Amino acid sequence: MSRQSRHDDATVQSIATSVPEDVTPADRCPFCDRPFPTERLCALHLGERHERELDTTQRERFESASDTETDELFVYHLKIVAAFICTFFGFTYVYVFIWI
Ligand SMILES: [Zn+2]
């Protein structure tokens, strides 16, 4: 399933990007020449924007980068849930002392 439907390709391609002169991009998209600060971001871009043109190596890099991103997002969600729980019980604890 492609995630391209979330964004119109014309809208995404119309976003201007620039790289400062003293910075070298880690990787560039071989299809649209867009620069990326990390190889992982380039692999994610290739899988989401150029899914049909990928060779086996690029597809494996995309799947690996996608798995890593999914794991990091899961950990981020766990941290957010823990923050909500701590905030809820913190306010409840404080409220009990004020009310009593
Ligand atoms: Zn591209």
Side-chain angles (χ1 to χ4, degrees):
M1 184 172 108
S2 174
R3 288 188 248 174
Q4 287 184 343
S5 59
R6 285 192 291 163
H7 303 289
D8 182 30
D9 280 344
T11 302
V12 172
Q13 298 207 356
S14 68
I15 297 173
T17 58
S18 65
V19 179
E21 292 180 18
D22 58 336
V23 175
T24 304
D27 209 349
R28 284 189 177 270
C29 175
F31 303 106
C32 66
D33 202 37
R34 186 175 177 162
F36 291 94
T38 65
E39 292 180 3
R40 191 177 123 212
L41 291 177
C42 185
L44 290 170
H45 165 81
L46 287 171
E48 293 199 6
R49 295 287 163 215
H50 309 288
E51 186 178 4
R52 294 183 184 155
E53 295 106 321
L54 296 183
D55 60 22
T56 306
T57 305
Q58 291 169 329
R59 188 169 306 282
E60 287 174 357
R61 284 181 54 204
F62 167 68
E63 289 171 0
S64 174
S66 182
D67 287 345
T68 303
E69 183 184 46
T70 301
D71 292 345
E72 289 177 358
L73 194 58
F74 179 72
V75 170
Y76 175 74
H77 286 158
L78 285 179
K79 290 178 181 178
I80 293 296
V81 169
F84 276 127
I85 290 171
C86 289
T87 302
F88 173 76
F89 283 108
F91 277 121
T92 304
Y93 189 73
V94 169
Y95 180 74
V96 166
F97 280 108
I98 292 173
W99 191 49
I100 292 177

